[in-house]
Amino acid sequence: IVFIITLFISLTSCKSYLINNYFKSVGVYDDNIKLEKLTADDNEIVLFGMHHIGKNAFYEDVKSKIDSLKKLDYLFYIEGIKSNFGGKNILSKQDSIVIIDMAYKFRKISGKPLISKDLETDHLKILKDKGIKVDFELVKQPSYDELGLSSEFYKNTDLKIEELLEMYENKYGKIILESCDYSTKYYENSTCKNKPDKKRFTPFLVDERNNSILRNITNEDKTRIAIIYGKEHFIGVKDSLQKLGYKIVK
């Protein structure tokens, strides 16, 4: 018993060490956000590389920089996969069935639920439940309102879940749900034995959402844009913008 307890503590400590190293490397422990800027003629694009959890000082710095760019008449592009049903307070039974079916399909191809039971993913709770000890006090990414962005200043340039599923089926074939898919709730992990191909899905999810950003930029009237997305999106976005003639400002 003592050996098992010691082994468990060692494994938990090892996980905490690896997680803390990873958080440090991707900027979760940063006090300030490092903005990147690209220009082409009179057009300016500023990139806010975000993460879902971080230090309070980091998000205060984000808020301060957002406020500065608002005064310069920047339009903000934000992420957030939603649905055509978004904003409806009352859904018909048929609408509810369609939404749940989409959630099952998304889980089928991604390997993880689209939404949680309470419609919110608490990354800090996940860390705590897994016994991970972090080196700094972390908070969840504030809402756009809390960051000083009301709807008049931003545009959601992300794809809707309906669009994502249609694009996936056009590329890889129809998503077929099986009896095992329905054996668990759509907000729980699947117990199906056949696992999704994450090597195919993950790049698809990032690339198609990046393409949506670029389509909006191409058709945008505003000359000053700030993009607030997860950091992983900006590798592909910067490459594509440079192909369109944008240059990174050092």
Side-chain angles (χ1 to χ4, degrees):
I1 293 173
V2 172
F3 171 76
I4 291 173
I5 293 174
T6 303
L7 180 62
F8 176 77
I9 292 172
S10 298
L11 291 173
T12 303
S13 176
C14 182
K15 284 192 296 183
S16 296
Y17 174 79
L18 293 173
I19 288 293
N20 279 293
N21 274 357
Y22 173 73
F23 281 175
K24 184 178 180 180
S25 69
V26 298
V28 171
Y29 292 151
D30 289 351
D31 288 323
N32 304 98
I33 186 168
K34 299 176 180 66
L35 302 183
E36 296 182 90
K37 186 175 182 179
L38 298 94
T39 61
D41 299 325
D42 294 330
N43 297 305
E44 298 179 0
I45 295 178
V46 175
L47 307 179
F48 281 70
M50 301 292 285
H51 29 74
H52 293 301
I53 55 176
K55 295 170 72 173
N56 189 62
F58 176 86
Y59 294 118
E60 286 297 322
D61 188 53
V62 170
K63 184 177 180 180
S64 174
K65 287 181 167 69
I66 285 175
D67 186 57
S68 297
L69 293 187
K70 278 165 54 180
K71 293 174 183 176
L72 296 174
D73 197 31
Y74 270 78
L75 173 65
F76 292 81
Y77 283 4
I78 65 165
E79 67 176 319
I81 298 175
K82 297 188 181 297
S83 165
N84 286 327
F85 296 96
K88 291 186 179 181
N89 293 322
I90 300 175
L91 296 173
S92 68
K93 184 177 181 181
Q94 185 60 38
D95 287 344
S96 300
I97 291 171
V98 172
I99 292 173
I100 291 172
D101 191 58
M102 288 193 298
Y104 274 123
K105 285 185 175 182
F106 185 88
R107 187 183 70 175
K108 183 79 173 179
I109 60 175
S110 70
K112 57 184 180 181
L114 174 65
I115 53 178
S116 61
K117 187 175 182 180
D118 58 2
L119 305 181
E120 184 177 352
T121 302
D122 191 337
H123 296 87
L124 295 176
K125 185 176 184 301
I126 292 172
L127 290 172
K128 184 178 179 181
D129 291 345
K130 291 184 178 294
I132 304 296
K133 294 182 178 180
V134 293
D135 290 341
F136 296 92
E137 183 177 350
L138 301 177
V139 297
K140 292 188 290 185
Q141 178 179 328
S143 67
Y144 293 112
D145 280 341
E146 291 171 325
L147 290 173
L149 273 181
S150 54
S151 58
E152 64 186 288
F153 293 104
Y154 70 74
K155 177 194 291 186
N156 188 330
T157 52
D158 218 331
L159 293 174
K160 291 184 171 62
I161 183 61
E162 292 91 341
E163 295 172 317
L164 273 171
L165 293 175
E166 182 180 1
M167 289 174 175
Y168 187 91
E169 290 187 326
N170 287 339
K171 190 170 185 177
Y172 297 114
K174 192 168 181 62
I175 303 166
I176 306 298
L177 295 173
E178 307 167 80
S179 57
C180 65
D181 290 300
Y182 296 108
S183 65
T184 53
K185 299 291 186 182
Y186 58 90
Y187 49 78
E188 298 173 339
N189 290 323
S190 173
T191 56
C192 290
K193 293 182 179 179
N194 295 327
K195 301 300 180 184
D197 186 354
K198 291 186 178 180
K199 288 183 178 180
R200 180 170 72 179
F201 177 76
T202 302
F204 164 82
L205 185 64
V206 174
D207 291 345
E208 292 299 343
R209 294 170 69 199
N210 287 353
N211 290 337
S212 179
I213 296 172
L214 295 165
R215 283 194 295 272
N216 276 273
I217 289 173
T218 303
N219 298 311
E220 186 59 65
D221 293 328
K222 289 273 192 178
T223 59
R224 291 179 173 180
I225 301 168
I227 307 176
I228 305 179
Y229 266 66
K231 269 186 175 182
E232 71 277 7
H233 287 279
F234 290 149
I235 298 172
V237 167
K238 284 191 293 184
D239 183 57
S240 297
L241 286 174
Q242 289 178 90
K243 290 176 181 177
L244 292 174
Y246 281 84
K247 294 183 179 180
I248 297 174
V249 178
K250 300 294 185 180

